[in-house]
Amino acid sequence: MRPTNKRATPLSGARQLITDEGFTVTMLTAVIAAAVLAFGFDATADIVVATLALGAVTALAETRLHRRG
């Protein structure tokens, strides 16, 4: 959806996504899981990056599905 406000910045959608509580909580959970893997289990960088990417995709999907109803 395009913003109806003509003066809206191109990053307003990203800002709205970041300020969404569900997205923020899901990403925080992914970062905590990656930190536990990295420091607690001495995981490689590949696993940590994959965990963060999976968390980001999950957060985006959750946000979009939540908006639909």
Side-chain angles (χ1 to χ4, degrees):
M1 261 172 44
R2 302 219 96 182
T4 57
N5 185 0
K6 300 276 187 196
R7 303 178 103 194
T9 63
L11 297 177
S12 64
R15 183 176 32 138
Q16 182 182 4
L17 181 66
I18 292 171
T19 59
D20 181 31
E21 186 176 316
F23 179 80
T24 305
V25 169
T26 306
M27 279 306 299
L28 179 62
T29 304
V31 169
I32 290 171
V36 167
L37 286 173
F39 298 113
F41 297 110
D42 198 27
T44 62
D46 296 343
I47 294 174
V48 173
V49 170
T51 302
L52 288 174
L54 183 62
V57 170
T58 303
L60 286 171
E62 178 184 341
T63 302
R64 288 181 185 240
L65 289 173
H66 189 276
R67 286 182 186 168
R68 288 185 185 173

